[in-house]
């Protein structure tokens, strides 16, 4: 299904995303033999540079920490089929130049087929003109396919997202558009489908009768240093909850899709999201980090406006009004400058009815998305010995130990490969995005001060677990810490 005669054009080739994710992922795919035969990679950006300079930069994006000669050889080969051309984003002329450049490459192909994948690693300000210019100047009208890969931010609220989607739609069909949410490329997020639908034991306990509450947590140990300007405009809810965590939630809670096809899966995701009403103010806890442990506070960053009330931490509880989930709280929480790096789903089951055992811990199923991918089930077992007492222990599927030789792919590798194959399953459909914005727009407007008084986030010290109010917040929704028992 990989198409020969493909050119991957990375627009914004000198930007942060291209540097940190796109080029390393393309190289990773190449190393593992997953790029189409005879593929070419073309970098495009405003910066003027010659081939030598581009290759120098390109290779600096790719890691080879131990100077492995095998990897060094692959890097040389990778340079051999990638090149660079500079140009603007707004003017048609630049795109005519790009098109001629691509045609020149394509003229060497033996067959007439030509396929172009445009990867937009670009800031939102040039997004629309680039979509337009690519369609008008660089589109292959016959004997080939055209695809664009785009990435958030997809607007700032429901109205702006719709405007953006509609503008893109004028030029690119849904079938040609691949909207990245890179969490959908993560191994453990993809694993959710298998865990849920390939195990009868899981399926049976997957509802309000067995589950008390669910937490989906994102923690990062660093602040927004150096990215403060961007971040302040968006805040943690738009950065993490509205997209990454909501995507995880939808796969975790959707009904079983009729098939594994992209449309069937996304139909179910949309359906469950539509059963979630907009988040209530009372179901939110907002925080902002302050200086501590020798680390600067959010407001100490020069690129952040003084007195900004932008949340760098948020916990929001969502409710799903359908027969499976009525009454189960789903707590989505994310924070910057916390005590550790961790992303996980924690499903806490209900208490066993009081009877023979008293005061025993609840079962919990934890799916650790990163780091150190794992699935573990906390359960009670008899303490070994000549007396009967239940102690909490766990069944542990830590990937590093169980699948010792497996290499877990980078999210961007998985997603770029899907886009090359034309598989939309792990990309966000337009109606999915629309309903995601419906859930979050009212509280975002409240936070943005569009509804009168702006809520003040509570503060938490850099490097801690988050606001001290968090403990009470999760308890309010029925979460019981095992130690409380
Ligand atoms: C991005 C956010 O979408 O995801 C960043 O904009 C965040 O703020 C990043 O750091 C986290 O991604 P990952 O893959 O490191 O969990």
């Amino acid at each position: 299904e990989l198409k020969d005669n493909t050119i991957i054009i990375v627009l914004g080739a000198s930007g942060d995303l291209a540097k940190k994710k796109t080029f390393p992922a393309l190289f990773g795919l190449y190393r593992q033999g997953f790029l189409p035969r005879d593929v070419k990679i073309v970098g495009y950006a405003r910066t003027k540079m010659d081939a030598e300079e581009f290759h120098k930069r390109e290779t600096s994006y790719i890691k080879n920490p131990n100077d492995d000669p095998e990897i060094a050889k692959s890097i040389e080969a990778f340079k051999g089929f990638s090149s660079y051309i500079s140009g603007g984003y707004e003017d048609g002329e630049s795109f005519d130049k790009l098109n001629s450049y691509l045609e020149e490459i394509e003229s060497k192909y033996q067959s007439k087929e030509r396929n172009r994948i445009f990867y937009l690693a670009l800031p939102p300000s040039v997004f629309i003109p680039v979509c337009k210019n690519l369609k008008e100047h660089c589109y292959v009208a016959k004997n080939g396919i055209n695809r664009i890969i785009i990435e958030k931010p997809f607007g700032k609220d429901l109205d702006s997202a719709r405007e953006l989607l509609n503008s893109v739609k004028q030029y690119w069909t849904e079938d040609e558009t691949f909207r990245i949410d890179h969490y959908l490329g993560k191994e453990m997020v993809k694993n959710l489908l298998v865990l849920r639908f390939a195990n009868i034991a899981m399926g049976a306990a997957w509802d309000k009768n067995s589950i008390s509450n669910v937490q989906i947590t994102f923690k990062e140990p660093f602040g927004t240093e150096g990215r403060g300007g961007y971040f302040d405009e968006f805040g943690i809810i738009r950065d993490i909850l509205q997209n990454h965590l909501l995507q995880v939630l939808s796969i975790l809670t959707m009904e079983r899709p009729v098939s594994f096809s992209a449309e069937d899966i996304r139909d179910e995701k949309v359906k469950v999201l539509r059963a979630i009403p907009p988040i209530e103010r009372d179901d939110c806890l907002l925080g902002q980090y302050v200086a501590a442990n020798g680390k600067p506070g959010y407001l100490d960053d020069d690129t952040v406006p003084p007195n900004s009330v932008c949340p760098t931490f948020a916990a929001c509880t969502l409710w799903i009004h359908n027969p499976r989930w009525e009454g189960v709280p789903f707590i989505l929480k994310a924070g910057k400058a916390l005590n550790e790096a961790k992303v996980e789903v924690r499903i806490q089951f209900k208490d066993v009815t009081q009877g023979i055992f008293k005061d025993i811990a609840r079962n919990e199923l934890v799916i650790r998305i990163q780091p150190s991918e794992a699935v573990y089930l906390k359960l009670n077992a008899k303490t070994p010995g000549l007396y009967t007492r239940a102690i909490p222990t766990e069944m542990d599927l830590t990937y590093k130990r169980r699948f010792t030789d497996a290499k877990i792919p980078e999210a961007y590798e998985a997603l770029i490969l899907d886009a090359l194959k034309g598989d939309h399953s792990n990309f966000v459909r337009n109606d999915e995005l629309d309903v995601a914005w419906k859930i979050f727009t009212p509280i975002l407007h409240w936070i943005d001060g569009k509804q009168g008084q702006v809520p003040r986030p509570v503060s938490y010290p850099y490097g801690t677990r988050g606001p001290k109010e968090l403990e009470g917040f999760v308890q309010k929704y029925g979460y019981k810490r095992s130690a409380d028992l």
Side-chain angles (χ1 to χ4, degrees):
E1 311 147 22
L2 287 179
K3 296 198 171 285
D4 288 349
N5 301 359
T6 291
I7 308 181
I8 303 169
I9 304 101
V10 182
L11 296 111
S14 44
D16 214 41
L17 177 66
K19 186 159 128 185
K20 288 202 183 120
K21 302 289 183 188
T22 321
F23 281 107
L26 286 170
F27 179 71
L29 286 174
Y30 170 65
R31 279 274 296 165
Q32 296 164 78
F34 282 115
L35 287 185
R37 233 179 329 151
D38 263 343
V39 69
K40 298 282 180 291
I41 294 170
V42 173
Y44 182 92
R46 276 190 289 234
T47 319
K48 289 211 166 52
M49 58 183 143
D50 58 15
E52 195 188 338
E53 172 64 19
F54 172 67
H55 285 142
K56 210 168 91 195
R57 286 201 197 186
E58 186 186 29
T59 49
S60 74
Y61 305 160
I62 299 163
K63 290 193 193 94
N64 186 8
N66 304 323
D67 284 327
D68 180 330
E70 271 296 304
I71 298 181
K73 220 171 101 192
S74 301
I75 294 179
E76 282 311 304
F78 187 70
K79 283 201 296 203
F81 60 85
S82 49
S83 58
Y84 179 81
I85 171 168
S86 71
Y89 294 127
E90 318 258 353
D91 61 300
E93 255 167 62
S94 291
F95 285 84
D96 279 335
K97 252 179 59 198
L98 172 63
N99 189 49
S100 311
Y101 184 73
L102 299 177
E103 281 176 349
E104 196 186 308
I105 297 176
E106 288 162 343
S107 67
K108 301 195 181 100
Y109 289 150
Q110 274 166 7
S111 78
K112 276 211 188 106
E113 194 188 333
R114 357 184 245 153
N115 302 304
R116 297 178 178 179
I117 314 282
F118 300 101
Y119 191 115
L120 276 62
L122 292 168
S125 53
V126 293
F127 211 75
I128 301 294
V130 170
C131 286
K132 176 174 185 286
N133 281 327
L134 284 175
K135 181 64 194 277
E136 289 175 355
H137 301 269
C138 301
Y139 192 84
V140 176
K142 56 175 201 276
N143 292 330
I145 49 130
N146 306 266
R147 294 184 181 136
I148 52 163
I149 304 177
I150 54 181
E151 189 142 353
K152 80 170 168 68
F154 301 119
K156 292 191 73 183
D157 61 5
L158 184 60
D159 286 346
S160 55
R162 281 187 174 165
E163 213 181 293
L164 183 89
L165 290 182
N166 287 334
S167 311
V168 177
K169 227 162 58 186
Q170 285 178 44
Y171 310 107
W172 294 87
T173 64
E174 187 64 23
D175 209 40
E176 292 168 333
T177 310
F178 291 76
R179 292 180 203 90
I180 285 197
D181 181 312
H182 78 283
Y183 267 59
L184 293 176
K186 291 193 188 266
E187 187 70 12
M188 294 311 274
V189 176
K190 292 168 104 176
N191 191 18
L192 289 173
L193 267 182
V194 182
L195 281 178
R196 287 195 58 200
F197 301 118
N199 294 299
I200 195 137
M202 292 281 177
W206 214 261
D207 62 19
K208 63 179 183 206
N209 297 321
S210 304
I211 293 175
S212 161
N213 60 82
V214 178
Q215 295 182 60
I216 305 177
T217 307
F218 169 100
K219 297 172 82 177
E220 258 179 2
F222 43 84
T224 57
E225 300 93 321
R227 233 178 132 226
Y230 156 84
F231 189 87
D232 201 80
E233 216 191 299
F234 291 89
I236 194 78
I237 295 182
R238 290 185 181 91
D239 197 43
I240 307 288
L241 278 80
Q242 184 268 351
N243 34 71
H244 304 327
L245 301 191
L246 193 70
Q247 281 294 335
V248 173
L249 174 77
S250 67
I251 302 173
L252 199 70
T253 56
M254 69 180 181
E255 295 301 313
R256 189 172 85 174
V258 177
S259 80
F260 226 37
S261 80
E263 294 326 315
D264 283 341
I265 293 173
R266 297 186 301 176
D267 283 350
E268 292 305 334
K269 287 168 71 187
V270 169
K271 213 191 283 170
V272 75
L273 291 175
R274 287 179 54 207
I276 304 177
I279 297 161
E280 301 280 342
R281 295 178 189 186
D282 284 348
D283 283 330
C284 283
L285 172 67
L286 306 173
Q288 188 184 80
Y289 65 90
V290 294
N293 307 315
K295 294 289 175 70
Y298 180 68
L299 297 180
D300 298 330
D301 186 335
D302 288 342
T303 58
V304 169
N307 307 321
S308 165
V309 287
C310 174
T312 59
F313 175 96
C316 298
T317 302
L318 280 65
W319 305 90
I320 302 175
H321 293 310
N322 69 14
R324 183 187 288 276
W325 296 117
E326 196 67 57
V328 179
F330 289 87
I331 307 167
L332 270 44
K333 53 196 220 287
K336 299 265 175 192
L338 298 179
N339 60 332
E340 60 182 342
K342 191 156 84 184
V343 180
E344 66 170 31
V345 175
R346 183 172 295 263
I347 297 165
Q348 186 168 67
F349 292 91
K350 292 189 165 173
D351 290 315
V352 286
T353 45
Q354 290 289 327
I356 32 181
F357 297 110
K358 284 205 172 57
D359 299 338
I360 51 173
R362 285 178 166 182
N363 289 148
E364 277 184 17
L365 177 69
V366 181
I367 299 155
R368 195 181 319 118
I369 297 172
Q370 64 192 39
S372 183
E373 292 78 359
V375 180
Y376 57 93
L377 178 64
K378 294 192 176 194
L379 37 69
N380 297 298
K382 178 184 155 326
T383 21
L386 291 171
Y387 48 89
T388 298
R389 203 170 66 203
I391 49 151
T393 178
E394 51 199 37
M395 287 203 311
D396 181 359
L397 177 59
T398 294
Y399 271 42
K400 259 204 305 260
R401 287 198 290 271
R402 186 60 53 96
F403 306 112
T404 40
D405 293 332
K407 174 191 177 297
I408 301 211
E410 281 295 319
Y412 278 86
E413 292 175 358
L415 293 176
I416 294 174
L417 181 60
D418 282 349
L420 286 168
K421 290 181 176 165
D423 180 354
H424 279 87
S425 314
N426 294 310
F427 292 87
V428 185
R429 204 166 66 185
N430 58 359
D431 54 344
E432 223 176 320
L433 201 56
D434 199 82
V435 61
W437 278 118
K438 277 189 188 148
I439 297 170
F440 282 94
T441 294
I443 47 153
L444 286 167
H445 281 176
W446 169 54
I447 293 168
D448 292 345
K450 292 205 169 113
Q451 290 162 3
Q453 222 189 351
V454 183
R456 260 203 173 271
V458 295
S459 51
Y460 61 97
Y462 198 122
T464 59
R465 296 167 63 104
K468 59 178 184 331
E469 291 80 357
L470 181 60
E471 190 75 26
F473 182 85
V474 293
Q475 275 168 17
K476 184 168 99 177
Y477 298 101
Y479 177 70
K480 280 195 201 166
R481 201 170 284 292
S482 319
D484 298 346
L485 294 159

